[in-house]
Amino acid sequence: MKNINLKQVFDEKIISGDFLYADWPAPDNVKVLITTRKGGKSNGCFSSLNVGGHVGDNPEAVAQNRSYVQEHVGAPLVFLNQVHGADVVRAVDAAQKMMDADACVDDTGRAACVVMTADCLPVLLCDRAGAVVAAAHAGWRSLAGGVLQNTVAAMRVDPMEIMAYFGPAIGPDAFEVGSEVKDAFCSQISEAEDAFESIGGEKYLADIYHLARLILQREGVTQIYGGSHCTVLERENFFSYRRDGQTGRMASIIWLEQDH
């Protein structure tokens, strides 16, 4: 299995204990904010900055957490009803009503694209001109189903002009999967074999970062950053469904800053 070469990615820095800010060469008007599990109002297994309203947390605490995050984001947060599919919607449309989708795009600056995760891979994208941004929720089902291909297409720019940033997801030392997951990718991409390490009994350790990188590269996206965290192993910083079962969700957010 090809593990991530950390020398080839930019370091991510936790700022003020609560948020991650992407360290990548995006245009100045492209802004990114990724929440951790710190700085919120939730208690127990949701402690403390849970932004997921569908996981059993106190709705008032979730509302306060989302409000806190909104204070640090320069456009209205747009949450999706994520269904582990491959549909992509316009963020301004999803701002009007909750939509079933696993990715959204924006070229207006009037909405912040948001995906929630707790092990699945959040992929944030922009073009080099700073004209369009997108966010994709890339769990293995969405990834195998084409969510990244659909997101790149929905951005409507030359893929060579697109750069991608991988937020925190389950790492290659923690993501144990069965043969059905391996088959779902290897039947489409022969190089995907390198992303799976056999541990016996038709079980494998999968590198979701590597799988996403292969898919983006096949689409013509070659500027790819991030991908150095493991939500399972970094217990203090991140929620992990695989590790804890009932737990909170982080938000990975990207938006276009409006001229003032």
Side-chain angles (χ1 to χ4, degrees):
M1 181 173 62
K2 292 182 179 178
N3 288 325
I4 298 166
N5 183 347
L6 297 185
K7 293 181 180 179
Q8 296 177 347
V9 299
F10 287 83
D11 288 335
E12 295 161 337
K13 301 175 182 177
I14 292 180
I15 308 297
S16 72
D18 295 345
F19 302 122
L20 285 173
Y21 294 86
D23 193 354
W24 63 332
D28 289 343
N29 68 315
V30 173
K31 304 299 180 183
V32 167
L33 184 74
I34 300 171
T35 67
T36 67
R37 67 179 304 165
K38 300 179 179 180
K41 301 295 185 181
S42 296
N43 297 309
C45 61
F46 306 112
S47 177
S48 65
L49 190 56
N50 167 46
V51 297
H54 62 294
V55 295
D57 193 6
N58 183 319
E60 183 177 342
V62 175
Q64 289 179 308
N65 292 340
R66 289 189 176 189
S67 178
Y68 172 58
V69 175
Q70 182 67 78
E71 292 173 5
H72 295 80
V73 176
L77 297 170
V78 176
F79 291 88
L80 305 171
N81 182 34
Q82 299 170 187
V83 293
H84 297 276
D87 288 344
V88 185
V89 297
R90 297 175 69 238
V92 289
D93 295 336
Q96 303 304 313
K97 64 175 182 176
M98 179 67 72
M99 302 183 76
D100 294 347
D102 284 87
C104 59
V105 299
D106 183 64
D107 60 3
T108 70
R110 300 196 305 270
C113 300
V114 182
V115 290
M116 292 184 292
T117 60
D119 284 333
C120 291
L121 173 61
V123 181
L124 304 176
L125 307 102
C126 71
D127 70 324
R128 290 199 291 187
V132 61
V133 295
H137 166 241
W140 78 262
R141 289 181 178 85
S142 296
L143 202 56
V147 70
L148 292 186
Q149 294 95 318
N150 293 348
T151 303
V152 168
M155 294 176 71
R156 299 189 178 189
V157 295
D158 183 345
M160 291 295 293
E161 295 297 309
I162 294 175
M163 60 183 70
Y165 187 86
F166 294 161
I170 188 170
D173 295 324
F175 191 22
E176 182 179 323
V177 301
S179 57
E180 76 282 0
V181 177
K182 180 175 184 289
D183 293 344
F185 289 98
C186 294
S187 62
Q188 302 180 55
I189 308 171
S190 59
E191 301 95 322
E193 291 277 353
D194 290 338
F196 295 90
E197 179 183 324
S198 177
I199 55 175
E202 295 194 356
K203 296 291 185 181
Y204 303 85
L205 288 176
D207 188 341
I208 199 166
Y209 291 123
H210 187 48
L211 291 167
R213 189 174 286 107
L214 287 173
I215 290 168
L216 286 173
Q217 289 171 341
R218 282 169 64 98
E219 294 301 302
V221 178
T222 59
Q223 302 175 81
I224 304 170
Y225 306 90
S228 61
H229 287 290
C230 177
T231 47
V232 175
L233 300 181
E234 295 179 55
R235 181 182 298 271
E236 294 300 312
N237 291 327
F238 303 119
F239 296 114
S240 168
Y241 181 81
R242 177 69 66 105
R243 181 188 65 224
D244 298 327
Q246 189 172 29
T247 191
R249 297 292 185 273
M250 288 90 65
S252 294
I253 308 161
I254 189 167
W255 71 98
L256 293 169
E257 185 174 65
Q258 295 269 41
D259 292 333
H260 295 291

